[in-house]
Amino acid sequence: MKLASVTHKGIRRLAVVLDGGERFGLLDPSHTDLIALIETGTMVDADADVVQTVARRDIELLAPIPQPRRNIMCVGKNYSEHAKEFARSGYEAGAVAGKDIDDHPALFSKLPSSVIAPDAAIELHPSITQKVDYEAELAVIIGKGGRGISKEDAYAHIWGYTIVNDVTARDLQKNHKQWFLGKSLDTFAPMGPYVVTADEIDPENTTVQCHVNGELRQNANTRDLIFDIPSLIATLSAGITLQPGDIIATGTPAGVGIGLDPPVFLKSGDTIAVTISGIGTLENRCA
Ligand code: MG
């Protein structure tokens, strides 16, 4: 099932995505918050729980989880071709020649306040960065929390999936030892347009694409992840209790702006469309 967080007549609602996103089935107003739905283990019944069906034009899409409770957990350099392009680009602080692939996943986080909705504007923050870049990523949403989750049990802890564009200020990423600042600027985490429940897609065989102004820049398959989703969950949960609604962005493929020769950065008016098979297309424009 695909669900969306929306506003309808100014009121926040959860909705079942119908007809490929042409119509939305608004759920009973007792369900407005996706994290609460996940936390309580509520199973949505598309027939019984939809109280009104409305057209796309009658709603505004929000990020599926507009205000995550905690930072979005992110993985850097998780596709080998991207790890190589990043090392080559000169924007990876401390890069060691010939050591493009890490022995352990590079983990960082983005502030919840960086999340924006589908169609919302990405700010380019020109007073502090001239090098804003996109990163198309499959994001995991945790259902059942826990600590010390084994790889074997990892999929049982996943509620579903969405798309995150891990927008990054490359100069800040390079200049500061940690990536937090370059990754957490306001509007740097477009999310959505929908969440899909775990039963509906094969996360080990899904395509991740990114078009900038209609030009295909990134095109990969999650089968190429260096650290697969069970490994990421096992690593993160080894000493951190994962909570329902936690979001893990699994890394971006090759084809980001710094991978181009010469590098190309986002500019005002650019449109970034991230498409993941089985989920949809997350599109945002730069202000
Ligand atoms: Mg990323």
Side-chain angles (χ1 to χ4, degrees), residues 75 108 135 137 166 183 252:
V75 188
F108 62 95
E135 293 191 354
E137 306 199 11
D166 177 18
K183 298 281 192 176
T252 204

Side-chain angles (χ1 to χ4, degrees), residues 6-281:
V6 306
T7 52
H8 176 253
K9 296 186 171 169
I11 295 168
R12 185 167 153 187
R13 306 287 291 266
L14 275 177
V16 178
V17 182
L18 304 169
D19 301 336
E22 284 178 34
R23 295 185 309 132
F24 289 79
L26 302 178
L27 298 186
D28 182 285
S30 62
H31 303 304
T32 56
D33 180 50
L34 188 62
I35 297 177
L37 192 94
I38 294 169
E39 196 159 41
T40 54
T42 305
M43 301 294 283
V44 172
D45 181 330
D47 296 318
D49 295 331
V50 169
V51 294
Q52 183 184 0
T53 299
V54 297
R56 171 69 182 88
R57 64 176 175 277
D58 295 328
I59 57 107
E60 209 169 303
L61 282 170
L62 302 172
I65 299 178
Q67 284 154 317
R69 283 186 190 155
R70 308 205 287 182
N71 288 19
I72 300 171
M73 299 172 217
C74 302
V75 188
K77 301 168 61 182
N78 204 18
Y79 289 81
S80 57
E81 289 309 309
H82 171 67
K84 288 175 192 161
E85 76 178 352
F86 185 38
R88 265 198 316 268
S89 72
Y91 286 93
E92 183 185 1
V96 177
K99 278 285 288 173
D100 311 325
I101 311 294
D102 293 325
D103 297 330
H104 303 279
L107 298 165
F108 62 95
S109 74
K110 293 172 87 79
L111 282 176
S113 51
S114 59
V115 171
I116 58 169
D119 305 318
I122 297 167
E123 294 177 39
L124 293 178
H125 300 270
S127 64
I128 51 169
T129 172
Q130 280 67 51
K131 297 187 172 172
V132 178
D133 205 353
Y134 52 85
E135 293 191 354
E137 306 199 11
L138 173 69
V140 171
I141 300 170
I142 295 296
K144 192 172 85 175
R147 196 168 82 176
I149 300 167
S150 68
K151 287 187 199 179
E152 293 68 31
D153 291 340
Y155 280 117
H157 288 260
I158 296 176
W159 182 87
Y161 301 88
T162 189
I163 302 171
V164 167
N165 183 349
D166 177 18
V167 180
T168 305
R170 296 298 181 195
D171 35 11
L172 298 181
Q173 183 184 31
K174 183 184 177 186
N175 294 347
H176 298 263
K177 218 165 228 173
Q178 301 247 335
W179 297 358
F180 171 77
L181 185 63
K183 298 281 192 176
S184 285
L185 301 184
D186 291 354
T187 75
F188 271 24
M191 185 197 300
Y194 317 129
V195 287
V196 56
T197 47
D199 55 305
E200 283 212 7
I201 67 170
D202 176 0
E204 296 182 7
N205 181 18
T206 185
T207 57
V208 178
Q209 294 183 321
C210 181
H211 289 82
V212 178
N213 302 327
E215 179 197 342
L216 182 64
R217 294 275 186 87
Q218 296 183 283
N219 188 13
N221 188 291
T222 51
R223 75 170 80 90
D224 297 326
L225 287 174
I226 297 168
F227 301 100
D228 64 11
I229 291 169
S231 302
L232 296 175
I233 288 176
T235 300
L236 284 164
S237 74
I240 298 170
T241 303
L242 294 182
Q243 299 177 358
D246 276 347
I247 299 161
I248 303 169
T250 57
T252 204
V256 295
I258 51 165
L260 301 173
D261 185 18
V264 177
F265 297 101
L266 295 172
K267 57 186 190 310
S268 181
D270 282 354
T271 298
I272 305 107
V274 181
T275 302
I276 295 188
S277 54
I279 302 179
T281 297

